[in-house]
Amino acid sequence: MPPTQHKIVIGHSQRMPEIVDSSVHLMVTSPPYPMIQMWDKQFCQLDPKIAALWQKLEKEPQEEIVTQIYDAMHENLSRVWAETYRVLVEGGLACVNIGDATRSVNGRFRVFCNHSRIIEHCEKLGFTTLPYILWKKPTTKPTYKGKGAFLGSGFLPPNAYVTLDCEFILIFRKGKLRSFPPKDPTRYASQLTKQQRDEWFSQIWQVTGTRQTVDELERRTGAFPDEIVERLIRMFSVKGDTVLDPFVGSGTTTKIAIQNERNSVGYEKDEKLLSIINRKTAQGNSRKGAVEIINR
Ligand SMILES: C[S@@+](CC[C@H](N)C(=O)[O-])C[C@H]1O[C@@H](n2cnc3c(N)ncnc32)[C@H](O)[C@@H]1O
């Protein structure tokens, strides 16, 4: 296998002019989650319209404004899904790790079904939705009246809420199945074991691998566990393929692509994460696949 190549662009992924059409085989990502408080500021920075709507909501508490905020957040994400569609090859796959959000806004507790919004947007762009994975997370606490725990009252019906203890890994394909020549050696070299196939292609994943956070800045990236990314890369690409992550964060996808002999390209708008990205992509990287950083 020739050495793999890795690029990270410090810039927004709503435009990816650095990537030519139909040149990426797999996208694996975890975007900022709409309506999860920790990502509010990012959405406001990305789109001043969203910041203005939050301010308007403070003065005029109307449900319609909440809907406009939520719509605008997903419209911003959808521009990235559109660019992803452009750069994927025919048969290329896109895996999106996303959680729904529970939140009291404007005095009303509700769930914001981010996964269904993303499916709607991606289908409009031409993607085919494939069966998705539910990642059962071990740590999420139960919810009562929109607060973080039952507080001992979950026993008394009917006002407690079901806990969101799963996140989604949505899977989409562009066009028809990828085709390979018969007995393609790269494909055979990327083969899974029977145990991996049986476990990884089941719908519920109980990945307990903790997020290996080193400091506060890394914690705020909301990194996904290495094992989630490793499974997806090995299930949906072959050695030598190119993997895209349009929301690189701490660089998990780049690190796992290096370790699994895939090329990679990533986008991260927050320059402050570079030191974490450099540290993470150097970890366990005996191949020393140098990561090229491109400052837009
Ligand atoms: C949930 S985090 C990704 C975490 C990543 N999966 C990891 O393992 O570290 C989302 C990241 O996307 C970045 N981001 C948000 N909007 C972006 C955009 N339009 N273009 C590029 N990066 C963006 C944020 O700065 C944040 O670091």
Side-chain angles (χ1 to χ4, degrees):
M1 254 304 145
T4 53
Q5 307 213 332
H6 305 274
K7 273 188 212 156
I8 290 181
V9 180
I10 301 298
H12 287 255
S13 50
Q14 294 187 0
R15 280 179 49 253
M16 303 191 223
E18 295 79 6
I19 312 181
V20 296
D21 296 358
S22 307
S23 60
V24 165
H25 304 90
L26 170 67
M27 186 269 269
V28 174
T29 203
S30 182
Y33 295 1
M35 300 312 273
I36 293 271
Q37 207 156 1
M38 82 178 260
W39 297 112
D40 285 354
K41 201 168 148 200
Q42 282 232 343
F43 280 106
C44 291
Q45 285 165 352
L46 268 176
D47 188 346
K49 182 177 132 194
I50 297 175
L53 282 166
W54 277 116
Q55 282 175 356
K56 191 170 171 201
L57 184 67
E58 272 180 28
K59 289 187 211 123
E60 306 164 33
Q62 289 168 10
E63 210 47 34
E64 194 194 318
I65 303 173
V66 179
T67 307
Q68 287 169 5
I69 293 170
Y70 185 41
D71 288 348
M73 288 176 170
H74 276 283
E75 276 156 25
N76 271 273
L77 291 185
S78 186
R79 288 182 205 128
V80 179
W81 313 142
E83 272 292 81
T84 300
Y85 191 85
R86 175 183 71 77
V87 301
L88 277 177
V89 298
E90 172 86 1
L93 294 147
C95 301
V96 183
N97 168 218
I98 187 76
D100 290 342
T102 47
R103 187 158 182 184
S104 293
V105 199
N106 209 21
R108 183 165 75 116
F109 177 81
R110 57 174 286 199
V111 61
F112 293 88
C113 293
N114 288 322
H115 78 280
S116 60
R117 279 300 178 97
I118 293 177
I119 292 173
E120 276 170 32
H121 277 280
C122 285
E123 288 192 349
K124 272 193 202 138
L125 291 166
F127 278 110
T128 301
T129 307
L130 300 176
Y132 52 74
I133 291 157
L134 290 171
W135 169 26
K136 171 103 174 63
K137 302 177 74 177
T139 52
T140 318
K141 294 208 176 66
T143 307
Y144 178 68
K145 285 189 177 174
K147 299 197 177 75
F150 280 120
L151 304 172
S153 307
F155 295 109
L156 295 176
N159 288 340
Y161 305 111
V162 169
T163 309
L164 293 191
D165 52 9
C166 287
E167 289 194 6
F168 292 78
I169 296 165
L170 305 176
I171 304 166
F172 303 98
R173 191 179 60 230
K174 172 177 171 178
K176 301 200 179 89
L177 292 176
R178 260 180 88 182
S179 58
F180 292 87
K183 301 245 156 83
D184 180 73
T186 327
R187 205 174 175 197
Y188 277 80
S190 313
Q191 197 167 343
L192 306 178
T193 65
K194 181 177 182 308
Q195 194 190 346
Q196 287 165 342
R197 185 207 59 183
D198 293 348
E199 196 180 335
W200 298 358
F201 283 93
S202 68
Q203 199 181 17
I204 298 180
W205 285 5
Q206 278 193 292
V207 173
T208 49
T210 47
R211 296 166 195 259
Q212 292 174 353
T213 47
V214 178
D215 56 27
E216 176 59 18
L217 186 59
E218 185 170 356
R219 196 187 64 75
R220 283 195 279 121
T221 62
F224 43 22
D226 292 3
E227 188 171 347
I228 297 271
V229 185
E230 171 136 22
R231 288 184 182 196
L232 296 171
I233 287 183
R234 296 198 50 204
M235 287 162 79
F236 298 122
S237 70
V238 300
K239 290 183 182 184
D241 275 358
T242 297
V243 181
L244 162 70
D245 187 343
F247 301 100
V248 146
S250 63
T252 314
T253 305
T254 312
K255 171 183 159 185
I256 304 299
I258 294 169
Q259 290 176 349
N260 286 281
E261 297 172 76
R262 273 66 169 176
N263 301 293
S264 74
V265 52
Y267 284 78
E268 174 52 56
K269 70 175 190 57
D270 188 351
E271 203 174 356
K272 289 201 289 298
L273 296 180
L274 259 179
S275 58
I276 295 173
I277 292 172
N278 284 331
R279 186 172 61 220
K280 196 162 193 169
T281 54
Q283 262 172 33
N285 172 17
S286 57
R287 313 184 114 244
K288 295 276 173 277
V291 179
E292 183 190 353
I293 305 291
I294 301 170
N295 268 294
R296 257 218 203 124

